[in-house]
Amino acid sequence: MQVQDAFGSGGLSRRELICRGAALGVAGIAGRAWGQTFLNPRNLSPVVLSEKELSIDMVAMPRPVQILPGQPTNCWSYMGNLVKGGVGQLQPVQGSYLGPIIRARSGQQFTVRMGNQLGEDHITHWHGLDVPDDADGHPRFAYASGESRSYTFPILNRAGTYWYHPHPDMRTGPQVYQGLAGFFIVEDPEEQALPLPRGAFDVPLCIQDATFDTANQLVYTPDMMNGFFGSTVLVNGRPNFTLSAATRVYRLRLLNGCQSRALKLQFSDGTPMIVIGTDGGLVDQPRNYPYVILSPGERVELWVDLSQKTLGSLITLRSLAFTGGGTGQGAAFDVFRISIDRQRTETLQLPSNLSSITRYRLQDAVNAANPRSFPITMLMNPMAWLLNGGAFQMTTVAANEVVPADTLEVWRFTNPGGMMATLHPIHTHGRQFQILDRTISPAQQTNWQTVRDGYVDIGWKDTFMMMPGETVRILVRHSTYRGLFLYHCHNLVHEDMGMMRNFRIV
Ligand code: C2O
Ligand code: CU
Ligand code: CU
């Protein structure tokens, strides 16, 4: 059966596996009360960030969650308890399979002990954060169920919306799909000094898609070529998500947590899509987009001004149609609604300057004349997407994948056009980068026009979408952390198939 194949392990059905995992989970955490503190309503008190250290105990484990009416869904969840840190640094997402929101401050020392009670190997990655190679969640560090692993690193990143999710070889897609993902929000004094919406008006929203069977269980039927496209949209783990809002300004932090589906986002009533942040935090100045492209792994922060809306009105954030992204991509659908149900007087005004970002210059890259070139290619028989001419092998690094630490380089990615062509969200671990430019092959112009105005290529990025026929150059100053890191397609089906490569910082 499909479900069993997709989730099977050692001949157990997915349900048996989950039950066995649950039993292990209970045995493994005897005497602990995971998530006990999560029974309280969402803690909206101001985050106290005076602590130098943030230390949490977490576990990835099976958990039944009420998603649809009727039977609960057997999900997998990150659960956590604060060991050391300020009030509000670990916030549950009520009624969701999503892991707690981790709120850290730049400069803090972060430590997490992560238990694995999944019944299969696991490793967690801190997407977007600049961390030492042994804390980055590389698949070579995957560990067995029943064991745990500690990660410790200083938060070097600036304020921004980062996230965490599993990264075991060939199992990232299924583990994320079962519910393992969470926000990792970093704050810093520069960002805190700005008049931006806070507390209940600063809302992280994770967008995903899933398919349920008649017993409300998750069905995962990935297609190697294009990926997985669910039939139900989930926002923070809920179907038909409606954000109850007041007539004021909101900061929405959107994360595309889908396996494969790229989004083309726009408000139904013409509310401007004002981008204030990207993957790596605030942009220099707010910028208005006709719509915003958000491919799997990417984040965008919006300034959403509801102050002039009519009480009682509903606004829909929808994903618009686009063409040429490959089978499964580009369908139009509603993502979530905002219900304006409270009157408030707004005093916040959109700041004209948000942060200062020094643009890298191509001529300052050590390889300006000779960019590292990483083509995407497709292998037939067996069908596979390749990056830099190869598929992932645990510790293999090609000669052109060895890069100098703390050095500015230009990297060039190309996505071929052609019959089977599909879009790919490309992600690199380590440092945030800047997008230098994009070019499109003449043959793919028409499709490209259906997405190009929504590319948010400003600010700091760690993931970007590439349409068929597109070439993208990025400028990246590599981390000072040496070792083995990953770059890959963030279509998780492609990633699990091997559309992922190591690079070594020396
Ligand atoms: Cu969010 Cu290596 O991935
Ligand atoms: Cu990552
Ligand atoms: Cu891909």
Side-chain angles (χ1 to χ4, degrees):
M1 274 165 42
Q2 279 170 326
V3 172
Q4 190 170 331
D5 288 342
F7 286 99
S9 167
L12 292 175
S13 73
R14 188 167 60 90
R15 181 154 310 160
E16 284 166 333
L17 178 71
I18 286 168
C19 291
R20 198 178 63 155
L24 276 173
V26 171
I29 58 164
R32 306 287 296 262
W34 287 106
Q36 204 177 36
T37 53
F38 301 167
L39 299 174
N40 299 327
R42 185 175 164 196
N43 184 352
L44 297 173
S45 54
V47 179
V48 177
L49 292 172
S50 56
E51 313 279 336
K52 289 203 165 49
E53 266 177 76
L54 172 59
S55 174
I56 53 183
D57 246 5
M58 294 187 88
V59 64
M61 63 186 283
R63 180 161 69 116
V65 178
Q66 193 76 50
I67 299 176
L68 303 171
Q71 215 169 312
T73 304
N74 297 316
C75 296
W76 288 354
S77 280
Y78 285 114
M79 306 289 276
N81 283 321
L82 194 62
V83 176
K84 199 168 187 184
V87 173
Q89 290 207 267
L90 198 62
Q91 292 182 333
V93 182
Q94 279 304 309
S96 176
Y97 54 74
L98 287 182
I101 301 168
I102 299 171
R103 291 185 178 272
R105 187 196 54 203
S106 290
Q108 269 187 325
Q109 183 67 26
F110 176 70
T111 304
V112 55
R113 196 174 68 104
M114 180 70 74
N116 169 9
Q117 301 295 345
L118 299 173
E120 65 174 53
D121 287 5
H122 175 79
I123 188 79
T124 295
H125 167 58
W126 316 95
H127 182 127
L129 297 181
D130 182 12
V131 305
D133 82 330
D134 64 356
D136 194 44
H138 190 281
R140 74 189 188 282
F141 296 123
Y143 55 99
S145 187
E147 294 175 4
S148 67
R149 177 180 178 87
S150 286
Y151 306 74
T152 181
F153 51 87
I155 308 287
L156 300 181
N157 287 67
R158 69 202 288 262
T161 309
Y162 308 96
W163 63 301
Y164 60 102
H165 63 75
H167 222 300
D169 189 23
M170 302 195 287
R171 296 293 295 165
T172 296
Q175 290 194 11
V176 172
Y177 188 65
Q178 285 296 103
L180 294 171
F183 281 100
F184 195 116
I185 293 178
V186 176
E187 308 186 350
D188 67 24
E190 183 198 11
E191 177 233 12
Q192 288 299 301
L194 289 164
L196 296 174
R198 286 174 208 289
F201 310 109
D202 174 357
V203 189
L205 296 167
C206 172
I207 302 165
Q208 295 175 303
D209 56 346
T211 298
F212 297 88
D213 66 16
T214 52
N216 289 352
Q217 302 311 305
L218 290 160
V219 179
Y220 192 54
T221 49
D223 139 38
M224 301 305 204
M225 179 76 69
N226 300 291
F228 171 83
F229 300 88
S231 54
T232 302
V233 183
L234 301 172
V235 175
N236 288 354
R238 318 299 308 172
N240 304 312
F241 185 86
T242 303
L243 180 70
S244 150
T247 52
R248 52 156 297 155
V249 176
Y250 281 76
R251 176 181 187 176
L252 300 188
R253 304 175 186 250
L254 306 182
L255 157 66
N256 183 337
C258 294
Q259 298 279 308
S260 309
R261 193 187 289 279
L263 305 167
K264 177 179 176 181
L265 302 170
Q266 187 186 66
F267 285 111
S268 57
D269 70 336
T271 301
M273 297 291 283
I274 301 173
V275 171
I276 58 169
T278 54
D279 300 337
L282 295 175
V283 295
D284 50 1
Q285 288 166 348
R287 192 153 144 196
N288 198 345
Y289 284 82
Y291 55 85
V292 162
I293 292 292
L294 197 67
S295 69
E298 285 186 287
R299 289 85 66 208
V300 71
E301 296 189 28
L302 302 178
W303 169 280
V304 182
D305 187 352
L306 306 175
S307 63
Q308 304 308 314
K309 304 294 178 196
T310 317
L311 200 63
S313 59
L314 275 174
I315 298 168
T316 302
L317 184 75
R318 56 193 185 190
S319 190
L320 307 178
F322 60 92
T323 58
T327 307
Q329 301 283 6
F333 58 95
D334 290 350
V335 182
F336 66 85
R337 297 187 303 178
I338 302 178
S339 160
I340 318 292
D341 52 25
R342 284 163 289 148
Q343 197 78 47
R344 287 284 185 288
T345 310
E346 184 53 274
T347 53
L348 289 180
Q349 290 208 340
L350 180 61
S352 50
N353 287 295
L354 295 162
S355 71
S356 75
I357 294 177
T358 307
R359 288 302 295 181
Y360 291 146
R361 299 182 312 171
L362 177 61
Q363 63 263 40
D364 296 333
V366 292
N367 61 341
N370 184 26
R372 273 179 212 283
S373 277
F374 298 125
I376 294 168
T377 46
M378 199 186 66
L379 187 72
M380 305 291 277
N381 273 324
M383 189 270 140
W385 291 107
L386 306 178
L387 202 49
N388 197 26
F392 181 67
Q393 284 177 286
M394 199 58 92
T395 53
T396 303
V397 182
N400 69 340
E401 293 168 329
V402 179
V403 308
D406 200 19
T407 301
L408 185 70
E409 288 200 323
V410 54
W411 285 17
R412 180 172 175 271
F413 292 88
T414 48
N415 185 11
M419 279 292 286
M420 313 276 207
T422 165
L423 66 82
H424 302 274
I426 300 297
H427 168 54
T428 66
H429 288 212
R431 286 276 178 81
Q432 296 282 322
F433 53 76
Q434 294 176 2
I435 309 253
L436 174 62
D437 56 16
R438 295 176 181 265
T439 43
I440 186 74
S441 70
Q444 300 292 327
Q445 275 280 351
T446 312
N447 289 324
W448 191 63
Q449 298 294 345
T450 68
V451 300
R452 62 164 297 183
D453 292 338
Y455 282 140
V456 182
D457 288 343
I458 54 178
W460 293 104
K461 295 290 294 171
D462 58 48
T463 309
F464 59 91
M465 186 173 107
M466 295 187 76
M467 283 286 274
E470 204 163 22
T471 295
V472 178
R473 293 191 299 172
I474 65 170
L475 287 164
V476 55
R477 179 176 298 281
H478 299 302
S479 180
T480 53
Y481 289 124
R482 290 169 166 81
L484 209 54
F485 296 90
L486 300 162
Y487 66 106
H488 59 89
C489 181
H490 220 287
N491 176 331
L492 299 183
V493 178
H494 292 176
E495 172 181 342
D496 282 344
M497 277 172 59
M499 193 179 177
M500 174 160 76
R501 295 287 304 177
N502 289 306
F503 68 100
R504 181 178 291 284
I505 302 183
V506 295

